Amino acid sequence: MKVFMQVHASKTNKISLVSGFKQMLKEGGVTSLWRGNGINVMKITPETAIKFMAYEQYKKLLSSEPGKVRTHERFMAGSLAGATAQTVIYPMEVMKTRMTLRKTGQYLGMFDCAKKVLKNEGVKAFYKGYIPNILGIIPYAGIDLAVYESLKNFWLSQYAKDTASPGVLVLLGCGTISSTCGQLASYPLALIRTRMQAQASVEGSEQLPMNLMVKKIMEKEGFFGLYRGILPNFMKSTEVWTQTAADGTFVDVTAGLCSYKENPAALTQG
């Protein structure tokens, strides 16, 4: 629904959650609500794994003091980790958007979609919207991971007693706040990215570069046109926040156990 509103909603074509779902159901039935979900699920594992692995490595490279990472260093590490993960899996992002917006019978499956995109548009099509995507990742991943870890460490320093883990509920709260901050900062770039990814698949759509697309949206829809679809985006973020808490717990426990083998005091040092 978020992608549908990002691409199709405008001042003249006002799409609400209810009317949007009705249009989708009318065009493709109940299964149309899960279009693009297969490749979306496929990209989650490598994206998350690369992001967290890269984040830990970038923190080590950027930290000015061994064992201590400052907030701005976390921000840079988070931004670089997000950019690294997105660069690797980006063609799957383009495929997800195309599969999500497809009409009934347009593609037989994700492989048929990839084959047709490659044949009709070439390899470059798999990196449409890459620049706004990377520009958006810098504030999103940087703010998300930096705020998340800063809030978590603040809670540990103020309230933790004999534990290195703040618990799932605290991590969920930290993830909620950090993800919201990151999304608000980066959403306009995410919208531009999605529209660029979808350009060739939307009938009558102009093939515009990033700067002209931003200009066109501002002229026709105003500033808030850059936030089309943010409501369903926030609604779905419950899953993202829960995943953030779960991923954070796993990384914290794993890193803590590894550190404990070398230094038993590491668990209480954060």
Side-chain angles (χ1 to χ4, degrees), residues 196-227:
M196 291 182 72
Q197 289 174 342
Q199 279 178 341
S201 64
V202 178
E203 190 175 344
S205 176
E206 294 181 83
Q207 305 294 303
L208 299 175
M210 182 177 70
N211 60 325
L212 293 181
M213 184 171 287
V214 173
K215 184 180 179 181
K216 182 181 177 182
I217 292 172
M218 292 290 286
E219 287 176 350
K220 291 190 173 183
E221 305 176 48
F223 175 76
F224 291 106
L226 296 171
Y227 282 87

Side-chain angles (χ1 to χ4, degrees), residues 31-44:
T31 56
S32 68
L33 302 178
W34 275 267
R35 284 177 177 170
N37 189 52
I39 197 162
N40 186 55
V41 171
M42 286 176 62
K43 81 179 182 64
I44 287 173

Side-chain angles (χ1 to χ4, degrees), residues 18-34:
V18 175
S19 65
F21 279 123
K22 283 182 178 179
Q23 287 183 50
M24 292 167 71
L25 288 168
K26 183 179 179 181
E27 197 283 322
V30 175
T31 56
S32 68
L33 302 178
W34 275 267

Side-chain angles (χ1 to χ4, degrees), residues 148 152 155-156 163-177 238-253:
Y148 172 75
K152 181 191 70 175
W155 191 94
L156 286 170
T163 179
S165 177
V168 175
L169 288 178
V170 174
L171 290 175
L172 185 59
C174 294
T176 299
I177 296 170
T238 301
E239 176 271 329
V240 176
W241 299 333
T242 304
Q243 181 186 333
T244 299
D247 290 339
T249 302
F250 174 77
V251 171
D252 288 344
V253 171

Side-chain angles (χ1 to χ4, degrees), residues 9-267:
S10 65
K11 272 190 175 182
T12 55
N13 182 28
K14 294 183 179 179
I15 300 175
S16 65
L17 285 173
V18 175
S19 65
F21 279 123
K22 283 182 178 179
Q23 287 183 50
M24 292 167 71
L25 288 168
K26 183 179 179 181
E27 197 283 322
V30 175
T31 56
S32 68
L33 302 178
W34 275 267
R35 284 177 177 170
N37 189 52
I39 197 162
N40 186 55
V41 171
M42 286 176 62
K43 81 179 182 64
I44 287 173
T45 298
E47 181 181 15
T48 305
I50 293 168
K51 183 173 72 172
F52 276 98
M53 178 187 71
Y55 182 54
E56 293 302 315
Q57 296 303 313
Y58 284 130
K59 280 199 301 182
K60 292 177 183 177
L61 289 172
L62 295 171
S63 60
S64 53
E65 299 177 41
K68 186 177 181 181
V69 186
R70 302 175 189 275
T71 302
H72 71 279
E73 292 167 345
R74 289 196 194 104
F75 179 91
M76 289 189 290
S79 298
L80 289 169
T84 300
Q86 279 292 300
T87 298
V88 174
I89 61 90
Y90 193 75
M92 298 177 77
E93 286 279 3
V94 176
M95 289 285 295
K96 182 193 77 172
T97 299
R98 294 294 182 93
M99 292 290 288
T100 299
L101 295 171
R102 77 186 188 273
K103 300 293 184 183
T104 301
Q106 185 175 357
Y107 303 121
L108 299 176
M110 64 180 72
F111 294 109
D112 183 53
C113 176
K115 184 179 177 181
K116 287 180 177 178
V117 171
L118 184 62
K119 181 181 179 180
N120 297 329
E121 303 171 58
V123 176
K124 287 184 178 180
F126 292 102
Y127 281 89
K128 281 188 175 180
Y130 177 78
I131 293 176
N133 183 66
I134 290 298
L135 292 175
I137 281 295
I138 293 172
Y140 177 77
I143 292 171
D144 185 21
L145 290 170
V147 172
Y148 172 75
E149 193 162 342
S150 296
L151 289 172
K152 181 191 70 175
N153 289 342
F154 174 78
W155 191 94
L156 286 170
S157 66
Q158 295 294 318
Y159 305 106
K161 294 181 180 179
D162 304 321
T163 179
S165 177
V168 175
L169 288 178
V170 174
L171 290 175
L172 185 59
C174 294
T176 299
I177 296 170
S178 64
S179 184
T180 300
C181 292
Q183 287 180 59
L184 286 171
S186 65
Y187 191 82
L189 286 164
L191 181 138
I192 297 299
R193 174 205 66 193
T194 303
R195 289 201 179 185
M196 291 182 72
Q197 289 174 342
Q199 279 178 341
S201 64
V202 178
E203 190 175 344
S205 176
E206 294 181 83
Q207 305 294 303
L208 299 175
M210 182 177 70
N211 60 325
L212 293 181
M213 184 171 287
V214 173
K215 184 180 179 181
K216 182 181 177 182
I217 292 172
M218 292 290 286
E219 287 176 350
K220 291 190 173 183
E221 305 176 48
F223 175 76
F224 291 106
L226 296 171
Y227 282 87
R228 299 283 181 197
I230 198 167
L231 178 58
N233 188 66
F234 278 137
M235 291 173 69
K236 84 175 184 68
S237 289
T238 301
E239 176 271 329
V240 176
W241 299 333
T242 304
Q243 181 186 333
T244 299
D247 290 339
T249 302
F250 174 77
V251 171
D252 288 344
V253 171
T254 305
L257 290 175
C258 291
S259 299
Y260 183 74
K261 290 181 180 180
E262 298 177 3
N263 178 15
L267 282 176

